[in-house]
Amino acid sequence: MDPVGRSVAVLAYPGMSGFETGIVTEVFGLPRPELDVPWYDLRLCAERPGPVPLLGGASLHSPYGLDVLAAAATVIVPGVPDVHGTPSPGLVAALRRAHRAGARLLSICSGAFALAGAGLLDGRRATTHWRYADLLARRYPRVTVDADVLYLDDGDILTSAGSAAGLDLCVHVVRRDHGAVVANAVARRLVIPPHRDGGQAQFIEAPVAVGPDDDRIAGSIAWALAHLAEPLTVARLARQAHMSPRTYLRHFAKATGTSPIRWLVEQRIRASLALLETTDAPIGQIATAVGFDAQVTYRHHFTRAMRTSPSAYRRAFRTGADAPAGGRRVGRPRPAERGQGAGT
């Protein structure tokens, strides 16, 4: 396996869409010398090196096979040709070999079926597109399927929901490897938010009308992000949206899939990451700067969301180790805990 951890291999398979491979190539394959950090070395790998037909009649040609995929430090499966099928023995062997060698494995959308078919999700939590969640749970009962989140980080194995959620996951990986400042820069290049709020529940088909209330919620969210250091309550946010608190709670949940207070906690924790990574400010000062009323409150919420303490996060980042992954909820918390990707 790549000893320095920069190699990334993505599986190209017949019938895949250009968007699926584009997600990975945009984040990991595009050179970014302006960021002044060692960037990734991306390879597109096919089960059989040569032409790989894509949706729409196009094809891509890859000289790399499963041996290159198995030797990479990060292996990404962006989907499978058929969610009712089983991964080939060759692919299963390559995924298992990569995992044994210490590789980090990612799946996007239906790619979770390949990881599950290789037995790598047994006893773990995982996610996939909400349309496939029930099928994944039925076919692989040893996998705990969470259909709500946009992605889950289980350390060495990470899974994401539908294709666009793959952008969230890839930027999360950049954040793990290089910190929040670099990840936010990549997100700006892609013209996407560095972290999206809410889970898959907000995207499941439902007859929800879109009206002026959505604009008022969006306005209150933008205002809150500009005033995180201030005391923020539901009543104050509701006033910004010109709603009663009860009406605001209902419309906020409909728009984001979470509550205002949980959303605020998540935003404040994320705002603190860059301060931990790039400054020597005391923890209490950082807590105040991002809006927590007490250091103990900040430590409690940080530890719950990131599964490490602020001080340990800072030490890990400063020593050059991967910033803590934050456990399975760092990127996309589910509603009970809830609390952003990159073009040229």
Side-chain angles (χ1 to χ4, degrees), residues 7-24:
S7 61
V8 177
V10 57
L11 178 68
Y13 61 89
M16 73 183 301
S17 74
F19 182 65
E20 291 173 332
T21 185
I23 289 170
V24 180

Side-chain angles (χ1 to χ4, degrees), residues 250-308:
R250 185 172 68 253
H251 285 284
F252 191 97
K254 182 191 296 182
T256 69
T258 188
S259 72
I261 298 305
R262 287 173 180 153
W263 178 86
L264 278 171
V265 167
E266 174 73 10
Q267 300 310 310
R268 285 169 166 160
I269 289 171
R270 297 205 165 275
S272 75
L273 297 183
L275 297 177
L276 292 169
E277 295 167 7
T278 62
T279 76
D280 294 315
I283 301 300
Q285 183 177 326
I286 291 176
T288 300
V290 298
F292 287 99
D293 57 1
Q295 180 175 327
V296 65
T297 305
Y298 170 57
R299 289 184 182 275
H300 167 76
H301 287 297
F302 190 99
T303 301
R304 182 178 180 184
M306 304 295 290
R307 297 180 67 185
T308 189

Side-chain angles (χ1 to χ4, degrees), residues 9-331:
V10 57
L11 178 68
Y13 61 89
M16 73 183 301
S17 74
F19 182 65
E20 291 173 332
T21 185
I23 289 170
V24 180
T25 55
E26 277 290 312
V27 176
F28 299 111
L30 192 68
R32 301 187 185 277
E34 73 279 7
L35 298 180
D36 196 29
V37 294
W39 207 240
Y40 305 92
D41 181 18
L42 178 68
R43 296 287 183 269
L44 271 68
C45 303
E47 290 200 42
R48 297 176 181 83
V52 180
L54 306 180
L55 287 176
S59 66
L60 61 81
H61 186 281
S62 174
Y64 305 110
L66 293 179
D67 55 335
V68 175
L69 183 126
T74 298
V75 175
I76 304 176
V77 184
V80 295
D82 181 4
V83 294
H84 299 281
T86 57
S88 70
L91 178 58
V92 167
L95 293 173
R96 289 175 177 173
R97 188 159 69 249
H99 186 249
R100 286 195 302 269
R104 173 173 56 190
L105 274 65
L106 282 67
S107 69
I108 297 172
C109 195
S110 63
F113 285 82
L115 299 186
L120 299 177
L121 298 183
D122 288 358
R124 294 179 183 254
R125 303 189 71 85
T127 193
T128 185
H129 193 290
W130 58 266
R131 292 182 61 189
Y132 305 139
D134 288 344
L135 178 62
L136 183 65
R138 288 196 306 271
R139 292 195 60 194
Y140 302 102
R142 297 186 64 184
V143 181
T144 301
V145 179
D146 189 335
D148 178 66
V149 297
L150 292 183
Y151 63 79
L152 288 173
D153 182 337
D154 199 23
D156 58 342
I157 295 183
L158 303 88
T159 56
S160 81
S163 296
L167 273 173
D168 298 280
L169 178 58
C170 290
V171 173
H172 169 68
V173 168
V174 173
R175 186 181 299 114
R176 274 184 55 173
D177 292 346
H178 299 292
V181 172
V182 171
N184 291 348
V186 171
R188 285 194 296 272
R189 304 295 194 279
L190 287 169
V191 199
I192 65 171
H195 180 77
R196 285 194 292 161
D197 303 295
Q200 288 198 77
Q202 62 185 310
F203 301 111
I204 296 175
E205 294 168 355
V208 178
V210 176
D213 289 340
D214 298 277
D215 291 336
R216 288 192 286 173
I217 295 296
S220 71
I221 286 175
W223 180 86
L225 288 172
H227 296 81
L228 282 179
E230 302 176 13
L232 298 178
T233 63
V234 172
R236 192 175 180 191
L237 293 172
R239 284 197 297 273
Q240 287 294 320
H242 305 288
M243 297 179 181
S244 70
R246 178 175 293 184
T247 300
Y248 183 79
L249 284 169
R250 185 172 68 253
H251 285 284
F252 191 97
K254 182 191 296 182
T256 69
T258 188
S259 72
I261 298 305
R262 287 173 180 153
W263 178 86
L264 278 171
V265 167
E266 174 73 10
Q267 300 310 310
R268 285 169 166 160
I269 289 171
R270 297 205 165 275
S272 75
L273 297 183
L275 297 177
L276 292 169
E277 295 167 7
T278 62
T279 76
D280 294 315
I283 301 300
Q285 183 177 326
I286 291 176
T288 300
V290 298
F292 287 99
D293 57 1
Q295 180 175 327
V296 65
T297 305
Y298 170 57
R299 289 184 182 275
H300 167 76
H301 287 297
F302 190 99
T303 301
R304 182 178 180 184
M306 304 295 290
R307 297 180 67 185
T308 189
S309 69
S311 297
Y313 180 94
R314 171 180 271 171
R315 283 195 302 270
F317 186 82
R318 295 293 176 86
T319 57
D322 287 349
R328 62 183 184 273
R329 296 296 176 214
V330 141

